[in-house]
Amino acid sequence: MTGGWKISDFAAMIAVLGVVALVGLSDNERTIRRNLDAGYATSAMITGAHEQRRFPLTFDGLRPRLLDQVHSLDLTWRGPDGTERTRQKVPVSDQYLAPLMVGDKVRLVRVPIKVVDEQEAVPTIVPDADARLNYMNGFATWVRYGAAIAAFIFVVSFGTRWWQRNRGVLAGAGPGLEPTAWHIPPRLTILTVVCLGMAGMMGYFSLRDGWATAAIRAHGSDTTAAITGLHATVGRDRTISYTIDLAWRDGSGAERHFGPTHISDAYAQRISAGGVLTARQTAIRYLEEDPSARPLIVADADERTKQDGIGQAMTAVLAVAGIALAAITVWRSRRA
């Protein structure tokens, strides 16, 4: 096959990008922990905000820096010597950013930071440190798996091509023997695998959640749970979605925790004001026999039904798209 991208080329590119992302995540984690351990505490003024979905990279002088969050803030503060210092594009989690939003604008307020006393230092917003670290740890796990799978695909694809070339040389020495190879469209193959993989993953969680909901409605136990946390996340369209953390005791007296679990905007407004919880308890139904099952918030049960329906619909759409792409991939595959 001549020209075009091969599957091994895509796999190699994804593996390299994965390694680069892991290096950037490790550097950001080290920066956060160093600021928290050795930095001085002060407050910084927000002077601007950014959204970086397509190019999560910035430069501090000549040094590249990975932006591990979708949103970032420009900050200005004074160092120990009284000089004013600034840093653009300091990553911030959606949970921390949401209460700072007024419509689609960010309030220009002061936030607590810790930062080491260095000219090119990137500050850490202290209340947001745990959320960023947790996100980076989870994201790094997915990147490791993705890079490992891409590297495996590269090795298999490259090894297969090498074996076919050698087999073709040997076969060419014998009469009437012609090597057989298949050209499989790499872009269609990758899209097919992504769609079917996402459909399978979403289908598994959607079915499991749906079965748990049906069981809870049928024979779940009723109790009152403490609301231990409220989180807000800014979406792509600048809308804010809400989740809460719950804690309660089951029939045996053991303490259970679940969260974050999604709630509707209307229910979020009922239990909070200005991003601060005003209600500390809510009635729930849960499964005694399955501690991992997501409890049903009685006052927000309609939202649970809506979310289950959306999950099933998305699974069906991705499955149909994956099957259609698989059929097109097979049809467009040909002997080389």
Side-chain angles (χ1 to χ4, degrees):
M1 182 182 70
T2 59
W5 282 73
K6 303 179 180 68
I7 292 179
S8 59
D9 298 329
F10 278 104
M13 180 180 66
I14 292 172
V16 170
L17 288 176
V19 172
V20 172
L22 287 173
V23 171
L25 289 169
S26 177
D27 183 59
N28 288 357
E29 181 179 357
R30 185 168 57 250
T31 297
I32 292 174
R33 296 194 184 280
R34 184 164 176 246
N35 283 337
L36 296 178
D37 293 340
Y40 61 91
T42 185
S43 63
M45 175 64 72
I46 299 174
T47 59
H50 305 271
E51 182 179 34
Q52 54 278 328
R53 296 186 185 274
R54 298 183 179 178
F55 190 70
L57 194 69
T58 189
F59 289 85
D60 300 324
L62 297 177
R63 185 178 185 274
R65 174 165 56 89
L66 178 70
L67 299 173
D68 54 77
Q69 303 289 326
V70 174
H71 298 94
S72 60
L73 300 174
D74 297 339
L75 300 177
T76 300
W77 71 98
R78 291 194 176 276
D81 57 357
T83 60
E84 186 177 90
R85 300 184 181 182
T86 62
R87 178 61 57 209
Q88 292 185 328
K89 295 188 176 181
V90 177
V92 61
S93 70
D94 290 344
Q95 294 93 326
Y96 187 78
L97 181 64
L100 300 177
M101 298 286 293
V102 178
D104 60 350
K105 304 295 182 182
V106 176
R107 291 186 293 126
L108 305 183
V109 297
R110 302 194 74 85
V111 294
I113 66 169
K114 291 192 77 174
V115 59
V116 294
D117 189 15
E118 296 176 0
Q119 190 64 32
E120 297 297 326
V122 179
T124 297
I125 300 174
V126 177
D128 195 38
D130 287 341
R132 281 188 62 196
L133 288 172
N134 290 336
Y135 173 84
M136 285 192 289
N137 287 335
F139 184 58
T141 299
W142 283 101
V143 172
R144 289 190 193 97
Y145 284 129
I149 293 171
F152 175 76
I153 293 174
F154 169 77
V155 171
V156 171
S157 179
F158 186 81
T160 301
R161 286 163 51 200
W162 177 83
W163 176 79
Q164 286 179 342
R165 282 198 299 267
N166 286 342
R167 181 171 173 265
V169 171
L170 293 176
L177 295 176
E178 184 176 347
T180 300
W182 285 88
H183 168 53
I184 302 175
R187 296 176 180 84
L188 282 174
T189 302
I190 291 173
L191 285 174
T192 300
V193 171
V194 169
C195 282
L196 291 178
M198 290 182 63
M201 184 171 61
M202 288 189 64
Y204 168 75
F205 288 110
S206 179
L207 285 174
R208 190 181 69 170
D209 211 28
W211 291 335
T213 302
I216 288 173
R217 293 183 188 275
H219 59 269
S221 301
D222 294 298
T223 189
T224 299
I227 304 174
T228 58
L230 172 69
H231 313 283
T233 303
V234 181
R236 288 177 179 269
D237 55 355
R238 301 296 178 89
T239 58
I240 300 176
S241 60
Y242 298 90
T243 57
I244 57 174
D245 300 320
L246 299 171
W248 71 97
R249 291 193 179 277
D250 60 21
S252 66
E255 186 171 344
R256 292 193 186 184
H257 298 269
F258 194 93
T261 182
H262 178 80
I263 58 175
S264 65
D265 291 349
Y267 186 67
Q269 301 306 319
R270 286 174 53 187
I271 64 173
S272 66
V276 179
L277 274 173
T278 55
R280 296 295 175 178
Q281 293 182 327
T282 187
I284 66 168
R285 299 194 80 186
Y286 69 98
L287 283 181
E288 286 281 1
E289 64 272 21
D290 187 1
S292 66
R294 177 185 172 195
L296 176 68
I297 301 172
V298 176
D300 203 33
D302 290 343
E303 182 69 12
R304 177 69 169 270
T305 303
K306 175 183 173 183
Q307 289 297 313
D308 288 345
I310 291 175
Q312 293 167 7
M314 289 297 297
T315 299
V317 169
L318 288 170
V320 170
I323 293 171
L325 286 170
I328 296 173
T329 302
V330 172
W331 178 67
R332 292 193 58 182
S333 299
R334 65 179 185 274
R335 289 181 183 273

